[in-house]
Amino acid sequence: MLVFGGGERDCYDWRMDQQTHFGFEAMGSAEKRQRVMGVFSSVAEKYDLMNDLMSGGLHRLWKRRMINVAAVRHGSRALDVAAGSGDIAIGLLKKMGDGRVVLTDLNGAMLAGGARRMVDAGILPGRADCLQSDGTKLPFADESFDVVSIAFGIRNFVDIEAGLKEFHRVLAPGGQFICLEFSRPVLPLLGIAYDAYSFNIIPQIGEWVTGDRASYQYLVESIRRFPDQKRFAKLMGRAGFDLIRYENMTGGVVALHRGYKI
Ligand code: SAM
């Protein structure tokens, strides 16, 4: 099943009127959501190339580690939120052998890219569904999935805690939540080098490759505003997850969090 557009539940939400940030810029939640949509519509076509250029290919290793720790097995039902590229969904399906993955993303252009890649990999149609949806308002019944994953998506959410609660709601008891996201370098020198690289080089690469410097400026700023490893683990606990732990990758540039619904 491929649903673009129709799958998104669009109802009035008081949180949409709250003040939030788009990168370093303060703005209303509804406007942020629109701006995030704009960013990913703009970068969708060159998304994979830019990922390789910006991370020097490291994103492939980070994602591989995420797949390794994912608790999927034969017959699992997995949900990959903010699925975009489809990298995680494809990895999960390969690992589980027989099972199903649902890909959701707020942005139709990103989801279409992921769906194309699944078709090329011989997975769609058949073993996966694509559904356009906001990760904070998932159109699934309680306890529908054994694993919920999200890679480099949650920092874009207007309301991170609402997203975490929603992931907890759709997980079956015993289910696993895994989250790969940019975090805080734990080595001081690495932090300085990383800041210089991200604020000076990444927006420049974005401008050269996509002609869109602003979207990559947003990307860098959104990483700095996202809670660090420990704070994010606390938010997971507040959303109801247990047995929470995280591991740093590349000195904390990226962190992989996991937690369970007991
Ligand atoms: N998971 C993919 C990967 O790792 O390659 C894509 C990551 S991309 C950096 C971030 C994705 O989050 C985009 O596809 C964007 O549309 C999606 N996104 C942003 N806000 C979202 C929301 N509120 N709900 C669902 N997806 C969202």
Side-chain angles (χ1 to χ4, degrees):
M1 174 179 58
L2 277 90
V3 182
F4 295 110
E8 198 183 334
R9 281 193 283 163
D10 240 340
C11 52
Y12 177 75
D13 183 343
W14 64 270
R15 285 184 303 253
M16 288 305 191
D17 290 337
Q18 304 293 298
Q19 196 70 7
T20 183
H21 284 83
F22 176 81
F24 291 156
E25 198 182 333
M27 66 177 57
S29 302
E31 192 184 351
K32 170 174 173 168
R33 190 172 179 274
Q34 275 315 111
R35 294 273 291 270
V36 168
M37 273 285 239
V39 164
F40 287 104
S41 296
S42 158
V43 305
E45 208 182 309
K46 299 267 174 61
Y47 177 77
D48 294 325
L49 171 66
M50 276 303 291
N51 260 358
D52 277 330
L53 288 176
M54 287 185 306
S55 74
L58 279 174
H59 75 106
R60 293 168 188 271
L61 300 182
W62 299 328
K63 287 173 177 170
R64 194 178 305 162
R65 174 68 188 149
M66 184 184 200
I67 304 297
N68 279 343
V69 307
V72 289
R73 56 184 71 82
H74 196 71
S76 286
R77 303 156 299 167
L79 170 68
D80 188 36
V81 183
S85 64
D87 286 349
I88 303 303
I90 292 171
L92 292 176
L93 274 168
K94 284 188 179 153
K95 183 174 177 184
M96 67 173 77
D98 190 24
R100 287 194 79 79
V101 175
V102 178
L103 293 82
T104 69
D105 199 290
L106 180 64
N107 187 288
M110 289 295 289
L111 194 57
R116 258 195 309 277
R117 192 177 272 187
M118 307 275 286
V119 171
D120 291 345
I123 291 164
L124 261 180
R127 298 185 52 212
D129 297 311
C130 296
L131 188 69
Q132 189 176 0
S133 163
D134 190 321
T136 60
K137 290 182 262 173
L138 294 168
F140 306 110
D142 296 356
E143 306 185 357
S144 297
F145 298 98
D146 305 303
V147 171
V148 173
S149 58
I150 182 164
F152 304 116
I154 199 162
R155 73 170 186 282
N156 302 293
F157 281 24
V158 168
D159 188 339
I160 293 169
E161 293 199 67
L164 289 172
K165 283 182 189 144
E166 193 66 344
F167 305 157
H168 189 269
R169 180 186 70 76
V170 300
L171 261 185
Q176 182 199 47
F177 168 59
I178 37 175
C179 175
L180 185 65
E181 189 51 89
F182 292 106
S183 202
R184 291 288 181 290
V186 287
L187 311 169
L189 281 181
L190 177 64
I192 293 166
Y194 179 57
D195 269 353
Y197 172 72
S198 29
F199 282 102
N200 300 313
I201 313 276
I202 288 183
Q204 188 59 64
I205 300 178
E207 188 173 341
W208 283 332
V209 177
T210 68
D212 177 4
R213 186 185 186 94
S215 289
Y216 288 90
Q217 186 70 32
Y218 158 74
L219 173 90
V220 173
E221 293 177 7
S222 67
I223 291 170
R224 291 308 179 282
R225 283 205 57 82
F226 188 67
D228 66 20
Q229 291 86 331
K230 288 197 174 115
R231 276 177 59 218
F232 187 67
K234 276 198 182 135
L235 293 183
M236 283 175 61
R238 282 207 331 228
F241 290 103
D242 278 292
L243 304 172
I244 297 160
R245 56 196 239 239
Y246 67 83
E247 59 188 82
N248 288 321
M249 289 189 267
T250 317
V253 167
V254 163
L256 178 62
H257 284 74
R258 58 191 123 151
Y260 297 81
K261 179 169 177 175
I262 303 295

